Amino acid sequence: VQPQSVDWKAPPVISNWKGRKGYVIPLSQMSGCQQSEDYPVSASDFGLVIGKGGESIRGIKKKSGAKITGDHGRLVFVINGSKSQIERAKRLIQERLQRHRIQLE
């Protein structure tokens, strides 16, 4: 019996790189693909982006796939991830702020 020859290609989110704990690291999270960008906001918008109990920022992180940390002293959110994750996170933050401004009118 001859083994079957199958052309198999790995999807782009899989890699053979393993982290310190032995988990496979997706290509989008490998250091060569990572970028960082600051997103400045006003003092009043800072709390709005975080949301009650951090609910809003957790949703933005989950939807964008980006890692986001808030620096309250500089009034900036530091967004880490691939270029597309960063762009999506920025868009979600802008949408959150626009929805709030519309509600105030």
Side-chain angles (χ1 to χ4, degrees):
V1 176
Q2 291 183 349
Q4 291 182 346
S5 172
V6 178
D7 289 332
W8 186 82
K9 294 181 182 177
V13 294
I14 296 179
S15 74
N16 60 353
W17 292 91
K18 297 199 182 238
R20 291 188 305 248
K21 294 183 179 181
Y23 299 110
V24 174
I25 302 170
L27 290 177
S28 63
Q29 294 182 0
M30 292 176 59
S31 62
C33 300
Q34 293 293 296
Q35 299 178 7
S36 180
E37 191 169 322
D38 288 354
Y39 189 88
V41 294
S42 68
S44 60
D45 288 347
F46 194 88
L48 182 64
V49 172
I50 292 175
K52 188 173 183 178
E55 183 178 337
S56 177
I57 195 69
R58 277 195 305 271
I60 292 170
K61 288 178 183 180
K62 186 175 181 178
K63 289 177 184 175
S64 69
K67 182 177 178 183
I68 306 170
T69 54
D71 184 340
H72 198 270
R74 296 188 311 144
L75 293 176
V76 74
F77 287 98
V78 181
I79 307 171
N80 295 296
S82 67
K83 186 174 176 98
S84 63
Q85 289 172 327
I86 291 171
E87 292 303 317
R88 181 160 171 96
K90 287 174 19 181
R91 188 174 66 248
L92 290 167
I93 291 171
Q94 289 170 354
E95 289 172 3
R96 170 84 173 140
L97 296 174
Q98 286 175 351
R99 275 195 310 271
H100 179 72
R101 288 185 183 112
I102 290 171
Q103 290 174 352
L104 291 177
E105 293 177 355

